[in-house]
Amino acid sequence: MKRNTKYSPDSVAGVLQDIFVVLFSLSVIGCTAFLFFNNLNKTIERNDKTPVATVSYKYKSVQRKFLDRSVWDRPVQYSPVYNGDIIRTAPSSEATIYFPDQNVINVGANTMIQIFKQAQKDETSVQVAEGSVSVQTVGSKVAVKADDVSVAVEKDSVLHVQKFESAEKEAENALTPTGETSFSGSIFAGGDADRGSAVRGESASAGGMLRLTVEKGTAAMTALEEAGSDARAVRSGAAAAVQPTVLSEGDVVQAGNKAAVSMICPAPGARLINQYKRVLPVSFSWRSSFPDNTELVLETSRNRNFTNARRLSVKGLQEVTLYEEAGTVYWRIYAADRGARDESADSGKFIVLDAPPPVPLEPAPDRRFAYKGTIPAVRFLWKGNEVSSSYMLEAADNPDMRNPAVRKHVSGETVTLPNLGEGVWYWRVTPNYIADESVTAKPSEVSAFSIEKQKELPPIELISPSAIADTADGKSLAFSWKRAGEAVKYRLVIAKSESMLDAVVERTSDINYCELKNAAKTLPNGTYYWMVEGLDKNGERLTSSAHSAFRSRDNEVVLRSLFPPDNYILADTLCLDTRFTWKTNLEGEQRFQVSASEDFSSPVLNVKTQGSGIDGIVLPQGDYFWRVSVKSEFEALETPPKRLTVAPALPPPELVGIGDVVVIHPKKKNTFAWTAVPGADYYQVKITKPGLNSEPLYENLYITDTDVEMALQSIQDGDYIMSVQGFASSTLTSSRRYSYAADKAFMLKHLRPVELVSPEHNAKIGGVDAALNPGLLKWSSVEKPVKSRLVLEKAGQRGSVLSVSDPSFSVKLPPLTAGNYRWRVIAATGDGFDISSLQDSSFTVLPIPPLEKVAFVFPADGETLGVNFFKSNRSIVFRWKKNGDATHYVIRLYNEKKQKIFEREITASAASSRTGGDCTFEFTDLAQLSRGIFYAEAIPERRLKDGTLFQNGIISSRRFVIDLPKAASVETDAPGVLYGK
C-alpha cells in the first residue's frame, strides 16, 4: 500500500495527471469568467410589455432595471425602455432616451431616473433620484419629480434638473426629527426679488441640492405642503399640493435660501453643431441670486481639471458669447469670493461638433447619361460628416429644388436610383442631426446631371493591350475596355486584318474584361486587330468600338531607362559628368530625348545615340523629362518619361554670433555656429589667414551639426577668415550637392587680464591739474567683462576715493588733493573667468605750488618820495608786473616798526592798467603816512569762481622812504579885541 500511494514525478502517469489537473482547472476558471462576463453584460428583452421609449448610451456604462425585477442588466444600443424602468449611468457616461412623440431626455453622468408612462395617458412621468437630467418636449407634456417637487414641462420646452447630495444637507437632515423635513425653494430670474419671494413652499426634501432651470418654454412647479399638525398624516406621508407656480424661460429654482448661480444655456452635456465656421459662437446665459455687485467668474477649459482654463469676470452680466473650436468644453461659473467648489457654483460641459455640409461626388457635375432603350440607374455618392445620422436626398427638375420629384431618406452616403427619366436633373443632400434636431441643417450645393436618349450609344473605349503585346513564356494576354451603359454582355473579336472578317479569336464576356490564356499559342508573332461589341439581353448589338491594332511578341521586349531614376535631382555642376544609361534588346535607331514637358511637345534635346548610355550633356537649371526612343521597321517604342531636376547649388549658411573680434579663452573652447542649409547632410569648416593660397590653420571636413567647438589657444592673434560650406550626400534620388560657402573675416585675440592704460604707473600729476582738470582713468580689455568694478584709493585714507560698478573703459576722475594714489579694475567674463588687472597702478598728485611773486615797478626798493613828488602827486600809485594766474592781489602797507597800517584785496581786472600790461593800485589816503620809512607788499592770489582761495602767492615787498621837511612853528599876530567882546 505504501508503494501504491507514493508520488513519482518521473513517471509518465504522474506527468499526465498533472497536465490533466491544470487543464481542467484552467477550463473551469475560463468557463466561470465567461459566464460572469455574460451575466454582467446581459441584456434582457421582454415580450410581455410594450416599449415606451428607446435608450442610447455612451461608453457602454448604462444599466437598466425593470419595475418588477431586482436584477440590473446592460442594454445594448437603442434598446427598448418599458414602463417603470429605472435607468442609471456611471461616471463619465451619458444616456439619451427617445420617445415616440419626439420627446427626448438626456441623462448625465452619475444619474438615476425612473420612467413612467401609462398606455392610456399621453403624459410621461420622470422620477429623478440623483444626478442631472435635461428634458426636451415636442409632442407632449412631461412631468418631472424630484424629492417632493413636481414640475409639468409644457410642449416645446426644455427643463434642466440637477439633484445632488451634499454633506451640509445630510447633516441638516440628521438633526431634523423623523417625518419632519422641509423644502424652501427660491426662484431667481435676473435679480427679480419679487418673484423670488413669491414662491415659498414647504415640502419633503430628501436632502442635498436641487436646482431647476427652464431654458425654453414654460413649466408649472408644484411643491407639496405637510398636512399641518396632524401627526398621523405626516407619518403616513399625506401632503397637500399648493398652488402651482408657472416658470418661464430663464427662470431658475434653487433648493434652500442660499445664494446661487445657475447656467441656463448651454445645457449640461449639450452637443452643439457647427456647420459653417472653424469656430462656433456659443452663447452662455445664467441667472444669479447674488447681489448685483458680486463678482462672478466664468471658466472654460478643454479638460475636466481646468488646467490652462480661460477665465472671464462676468460681474454685472447675465450672458456672454465665447468662440469655441470642435471638441469637449468644460465650464463652471461661481462667485469669486466663494470659489468654484462652493455649493452655490454651477458647472457642466458641452461638445462642439464640426458638421460641414455634404459634398456631392457622383454623378459628377454636368455628367451625361446616354441610353438607347433602357433608362440607366444613377448612383449617387457624397461625402458627409460624422455628426449626421442620416441624409435626405432630393432630386428635382429645377435648380431651385422646388417640388422635388425624389425625396429619399438614406442612412449611408450612397444610393442608386433607377428610372429617373430623361432630362436634366438637379440634386442635393441634406443631413439629419439627431444630436440636435433644433438645428436647421445646411444642405449641400446643388449639382446637375442629364439623362439623354440617343439612337446610337457612344462607341466603346478600348483600354488594353497597348501597341506591343508581350506573349513570351506562355503569358496570358488581358483585354479590357470601358463599360457601355446598357450592355448586358460583350463580344471580343480578334482578327488578322482591319476588315475583321478573318477572326482568329471570338469570345463573350459578362464583364468589361477578357483574358486569353497562353496567348502565344493562339496569337503567334504578328500584327492583329481587335474590337468589342456591346450586346443587350437578347444578344442584339447595341454599340461597338473602333478596331485597334497590336503586335504580339513571344520574346520579352527590353527597353527601360536605368539612370538617373525618376524624380532625380542632379546638381548643375555634375550634369556634364553624369552618364544617362538604359537597357534594350531592340534593334533600330536610338534617340536620347529631353523635354521641358511630359508629352515631349517642346523637346530641348533630341540626339541620336548608340549603345546603352550617353554623357557630356549640359542642361540649364530647371525641371525636365528624359526618355529613350527606339524606332525600327515595324515599331517605335519609348521608355516612360522620367522627371529630372537640374538644381543649383544649395544656399549658403549664415554664420551666427561671430563678431569682428573673437576672443580666445585660455581654458575654454570657442564655439562657432551657423544656420542649417536645407538638404545639407554635413558641413566643412576651415580657418585660414587672408590670402588665396593660405594653408588652413583649422579644418574639419565632416560636421553633421550646425556648430563646432575649437581649441584655438595655439593660434596667434591676428586676422583670419572662417569658411563654412554645406554638402548633401548622394542618394538614390539625388546626386551629391554642395552649397555656396559662407566666409567671415574676423580678428582673433587671446583673452588677457585687464590692462590699466592711463595714467601710467608712477606718473606724477600736478596739483593744479589734479584739482581743476583731473583727467580720466583709462583701461582696456580684449573681451568686455560681464561684471567689473573700478576702485581708486589714496594712501593714508580709509575707504576708497572712487568705486564704480561696470564702468566704461574711460572713467572721469574727481578733483584730487596732493598725495599718493593707486587704482585697479576687478573684472570677470560671462563664464566666470577672472580677468582682473594683475597689479595696481599708482600715481602721485603733487602739492599745489604758490604763485610766483610779482615784480614791483614803482616804487623802487629804497626809493625816497620827497617834496617834489608830493607837489605833483596827491596819491601814491603802486605798480607791479602782472601774474598771469592771479585773479586777485592783496596790497599791504607797514610802517617802520612793521605795524600794518593798510590792507586791501583787489581783483586782477581792477588792478590792470589800461595803458600797459602792468597792474596798479592808487593809494589816496596819504594822511596815514608821515615822514619816515615804509614797506609795501603785493601778494598774488588765485581764487575759484565761488571765491574760495585756491592758490596763494609769494609775497613781493618794497621799502620806500617819505622825506618831507619839518614844519616851522607858526607865529600869529595879536588879534586885539575881537568885535563883540
Side-chain angles (χ1 to χ4, degrees):
M1 294 297 292
K2 183 177 180 180
R3 183 184 60 190
N4 293 338
T5 57
K6 184 177 181 181
Y7 173 73
S8 177
D10 297 332
S11 66
V12 177
V15 174
L16 293 177
Q17 211 172 25
D18 292 343
I19 294 175
F20 174 76
V21 171
V22 171
L23 292 177
F24 177 77
S25 302
L26 291 177
S27 62
V28 171
I29 294 173
C31 182
T32 305
F34 176 75
L35 294 175
F36 174 76
F37 179 81
N38 283 346
N39 184 66
L40 183 65
N41 295 276
K42 179 174 58 176
T43 299
I44 303 174
E45 295 185 2
R46 305 189 64 162
N47 297 322
D48 58 337
K49 287 190 176 184
T50 302
V52 297
T54 58
V55 59
S56 67
Y57 54 83
K58 188 176 182 181
Y59 305 131
K60 298 183 180 180
S61 302
V62 175
Q63 289 184 313
R64 175 187 61 183
K65 186 171 78 69
F66 299 134
L67 179 63
D68 54 354
R69 299 186 184 181
S70 59
V71 177
W72 291 90
D73 71 327
R74 294 193 177 186
V76 297
Q77 197 71 282
Y78 297 104
S79 291
V81 176
Y82 304 97
N83 182 39
D85 282 3
I86 299 176
I87 304 295
R88 70 180 180 186
T89 58
S92 302
S93 176
E94 298 173 0
T96 304
I97 301 174
Y98 302 95
F99 291 87
D101 54 4
Q102 297 184 342
N103 290 348
V104 178
I105 298 178
N106 292 310
V107 184
N110 288 325
T111 301
M112 184 165 65
I113 66 173
Q114 189 170 13
I115 307 295
F116 292 100
K117 185 170 184 179
Q118 302 297 335
Q120 63 275 15
K121 293 184 179 180
D122 292 337
E123 183 178 294
T124 302
S125 178
V126 181
Q127 180 72 43
V128 181
E130 184 180 7
S132 60
V133 173
S134 295
V135 179
Q136 179 179 350
T137 61
V138 177
S140 63
K141 296 181 180 180
V142 174
V144 180
K145 297 180 180 180
D147 295 338
D148 289 337
V149 176
S150 177
V151 182
V153 186
E154 300 294 334
K155 294 181 181 180
D156 296 324
S157 301
V158 178
L159 174 71
H160 306 303
V161 181
Q162 292 174 287
K163 182 180 183 299
F164 300 106
E165 296 294 333
S166 66
E168 293 183 6
K169 287 293 183 181
E170 291 176 0
E172 293 175 3
N173 295 338
L175 297 176
T176 303
T178 304
E180 297 182 7
T181 58
S182 64
F183 170 81
S184 181
S186 63
I187 299 178
F188 51 95
D192 192 347
D194 294 339
R195 294 192 60 190
S197 60
V199 179
R200 296 273 177 172
E202 293 183 359
S203 66
S205 175
M209 184 270 290
L210 176 63
R211 183 179 299 168
L212 307 176
T213 305
V214 180
E215 179 183 348
K216 176 185 175 183
T218 59
M221 182 187 74
T222 303
L224 301 180
E225 288 186 341
E226 294 176 353
S229 60
D230 189 352
R232 290 175 300 173
V234 172
R235 287 193 296 269
S236 63
V242 300
Q243 185 68 23
T245 302
V246 177
L247 306 178
S248 58
E249 181 174 335
D251 286 348
V252 178
V253 176
Q254 171 72 45
N257 295 324
K258 294 184 179 180
V261 59
S262 181
M263 185 69 69
I264 297 176
C265 68
R271 298 167 69 87
L272 307 181
I273 296 175
N274 181 18
Q275 301 185 83
Y276 304 95
K277 301 178 181 178
R278 188 176 65 88
V279 293
L280 177 70
V282 180
S283 296
F284 290 81
S285 176
W286 61 90
R287 294 295 181 267
S288 170
S289 63
F290 287 108
D292 293 340
N293 59 353
T294 302
E295 182 181 3
L296 298 179
V297 177
L298 174 63
E299 290 185 358
T300 59
S301 174
R302 289 290 169 167
N303 56 74
R304 63 178 68 250
N305 297 326
F306 284 87
T307 55
N308 300 325
R310 178 169 56 178
R311 191 174 188 270
L312 182 66
S313 176
V314 292
K315 180 180 179 180
L317 302 178
Q318 289 188 357
E319 59 182 18
V320 71
T321 299
L322 302 179
Y323 292 88
E324 299 290 347
E325 296 181 349
T328 302
V329 180
Y330 297 87
W331 60 264
R332 62 186 181 188
I333 186 169
Y334 56 89
D337 57 346
R338 296 197 180 191
R341 298 184 180 276
D342 190 74
E343 187 178 353
S344 61
D346 196 6
S347 62
K349 70 175 181 177
F350 59 89
I351 302 174
V352 178
L353 304 171
D354 274 344
V359 179
L361 299 178
E362 292 184 10
D366 300 326
R367 180 178 174 182
R368 298 172 59 191
F369 292 89
Y371 74 97
K372 186 176 181 181
T374 304
I375 297 177
V378 179
R379 177 175 179 260
F380 293 87
L381 175 66
W382 58 90
K383 180 182 179 182
N385 58 63
E386 297 179 354
V387 183
S388 176
S389 58
S390 60
Y391 301 89
M392 178 61 69
L393 171 67
E394 297 175 297
D397 58 359
N398 61 88
D400 298 329
M401 302 303 295
R402 297 187 304 270
N403 302 320
V406 177
R407 287 178 58 88
K408 186 172 182 61
H409 191 83
V410 184
S411 58
E413 296 181 358
T414 182
V415 67
T416 301
L417 298 181
N419 303 323
L420 281 179
E422 185 179 1
V424 179
W425 289 90
Y426 300 88
W427 68 285
R428 70 181 181 185
V429 177
T430 304
N432 298 320
Y433 300 118
I434 293 181
D436 190 353
E437 296 183 350
S438 63
V439 173
T440 301
K442 185 177 181 181
S444 67
E445 295 182 354
V446 177
S447 183
F449 64 94
S450 61
I451 300 176
E452 300 177 3
K453 184 175 182 179
Q454 297 179 352
K455 295 181 179 181
E456 293 292 336
L457 294 179
I460 297 175
E461 184 178 348
L462 303 180
I463 299 177
S464 66
S466 58
I468 301 297
D470 184 10
T471 59
D473 301 327
K475 292 181 179 178
S476 299
L477 184 58
F479 294 84
S480 63
W481 54 91
K482 289 190 176 180
R483 296 182 61 88
E486 300 177 45
V488 177
K489 53 185 176 180
Y490 303 90
R491 184 160 61 96
L492 170 66
V493 179
I494 305 175
K496 299 193 66 176
S497 64
E498 293 186 48
S499 63
M500 306 300 294
L501 298 177
D502 48 353
V504 178
V505 175
E506 192 170 337
R507 297 282 180 87
T508 302
S509 174
D510 294 334
I511 59 175
N512 58 331
Y513 176 84
C514 184
E515 184 176 4
L516 190 62
K517 301 290 185 180
N518 195 10
K521 182 178 180 180
T522 308
L523 303 175
N525 289 350
T527 303
Y528 297 90
Y529 300 87
W530 69 290
M531 63 175 293
V532 175
E533 293 180 346
L535 309 178
D536 61 12
K537 59 182 179 180
N538 298 321
E540 297 293 332
R541 176 179 173 274
L542 294 174
T543 182
S544 64
S545 69
H547 59 266
S548 176
F550 67 92
R551 182 178 179 84
S552 63
R553 183 193 297 270
D554 58 6
N555 58 337
E556 183 180 3
V557 176
V558 178
L559 178 60
R560 58 178 180 270
S561 53
L562 300 179
F563 186 84
D566 194 20
N567 293 318
Y568 192 76
I569 299 175
L570 177 63
D572 55 352
T573 55
L574 301 178
C575 185
L576 183 64
D577 300 327
T578 300
R579 183 171 179 81
F580 293 78
T581 60
W582 56 88
K583 184 177 182 181
T584 181
N585 61 356
L586 300 177
E587 296 181 359
E589 183 183 61
Q590 294 184 8
R591 302 195 72 87
F592 174 76
Q593 299 173 337
V594 179
S595 174
S597 59
E598 191 171 4
D599 59 359
F600 284 79
S601 59
S602 55
V604 176
L605 197 64
N606 190 354
V607 181
K608 185 177 180 180
T609 64
Q610 292 182 349
S612 59
I614 186 174
D615 53 15
I617 301 300
V618 178
L619 295 173
Q621 298 174 5
D623 293 329
Y624 301 94
F625 296 89
W626 73 278
R627 70 182 182 186
V628 176
S629 172
V630 178
K631 185 177 182 181
S632 65
E633 181 180 359
F634 300 101
E635 57 193 349
L637 299 177
E638 298 93 12
T639 60
K642 289 185 177 180
R643 181 185 291 272
L644 173 69
T645 300
V646 179
L650 299 174
E654 294 183 8
L655 299 175
V656 179
I658 303 177
D660 296 332
V661 178
V662 175
V663 179
I664 303 174
H665 293 248
K667 299 179 180 179
K668 182 182 176 183
K669 293 182 179 181
N670 289 74
T671 301
F672 296 89
W674 54 90
T675 58
V677 175
D681 299 319
Y682 64 95
Y683 302 88
Q684 293 184 358
V685 179
K686 297 179 182 179
I687 295 181
T688 60
K689 293 287 274 183
L692 295 177
N693 299 320
S694 298
E695 291 292 330
L697 300 176
Y698 175 89
E699 185 176 28
N700 193 330
L701 301 181
Y702 191 80
I703 301 174
T704 56
D705 294 327
T706 55
D707 56 32
V708 62
E709 289 187 345
M710 305 180 187
L712 303 178
Q713 285 76 12
S714 61
I715 300 180
Q716 298 179 353
D717 293 357
D719 295 328
Y720 297 91
I721 295 176
M722 180 177 182
S723 177
V724 179
Q725 189 174 16
F727 290 84
S729 303
S730 60
T731 64
L732 295 176
T733 59
S734 176
S735 67
R736 68 181 188 277
R737 299 175 66 189
Y738 57 86
S739 72
Y740 293 104
D743 297 332
K744 172 65 178 179
F746 58 89
M747 177 181 292
L748 277 179
K749 284 189 176 181
H750 286 74
L751 183 64
R752 296 184 177 87
V754 168
E755 182 181 355
L756 306 180
V757 179
S758 177
E760 296 180 354
H761 186 55
N762 292 329
K764 291 183 171 27
I765 302 175
V768 175
D769 292 337
L772 299 182
N773 187 20
L776 303 172
L777 290 177
K778 297 182 179 180
W779 59 284
S780 64
S781 175
V782 175
E783 181 180 6
K784 183 172 179 58
V786 174
K787 185 177 181 181
S788 59
R789 176 177 291 276
L790 184 146
V791 179
L792 174 65
E793 298 174 342
K794 183 179 181 181
Q797 177 178 318
R798 296 182 63 183
S800 58
V801 178
L802 179 66
S803 179
V804 182
S805 297
D806 298 328
S808 60
F809 291 112
S810 185
V811 178
K812 185 173 179 60
L813 283 168
L816 302 177
T817 59
N820 295 322
Y821 294 84
R822 65 176 181 268
W823 65 291
R824 73 185 71 89
V825 174
I826 304 168
T829 61
D831 55 359
F833 191 78
D834 187 5
I835 56 171
S836 303
S837 52
L838 294 178
Q839 60 182 8
D840 296 352
S841 180
S842 302
F843 61 89
T844 301
V845 176
L846 302 175
I848 300 175
L851 294 176
E852 294 183 359
K853 66 180 181 178
V854 299
F856 266 105
V857 177
F858 180 84
D861 192 24
E863 184 172 355
T864 300
L865 305 179
V867 175
N868 293 332
F869 175 80
F870 288 107
K871 282 183 179 181
S872 56
N873 294 285
R874 289 293 180 260
S875 62
I876 300 175
V877 179
F878 295 92
R879 186 182 301 276
W880 62 90
K881 294 292 184 181
K882 182 178 181 180
N883 188 315
D885 294 328
T887 61
H888 294 74
Y889 295 95
V890 177
I891 306 300
R892 295 175 185 160
L893 295 179
Y894 297 90
N895 58 19
E896 185 176 1
K897 294 181 180 180
K898 297 293 184 174
Q899 294 175 342
K900 182 170 64 174
I901 60 175
F902 177 80
E903 180 177 5
R904 179 173 294 179
E905 183 181 76
I906 61 175
T907 63
S909 59
S912 297
S913 174
R914 296 182 180 179
T915 57
D918 296 339
C919 294
T920 61
F921 173 72
E922 183 177 4
F923 180 73
T924 58
D925 192 9
L926 297 179
Q928 297 190 41
L929 302 179
S930 62
R931 181 186 302 108
I933 299 173
F934 292 89
Y935 298 93
E937 291 181 355
I939 307 171
E941 290 182 345
R942 187 174 183 177
R943 293 182 178 272
L944 302 179
K945 291 182 180 181
D946 59 356
T948 304
L949 179 62
F950 170 68
Q951 190 176 11
N952 209 341
I954 301 175
I955 300 174
S956 179
S957 179
R958 280 290 186 268
R959 177 179 173 274
F960 66 94
V961 180
I962 297 178
D963 185 14
L964 294 174
K966 292 182 179 181
S969 299
V970 179
E971 294 181 0
T972 61
D973 295 332
V977 179
L978 298 177
Y979 177 78
K981 186 170 178 181

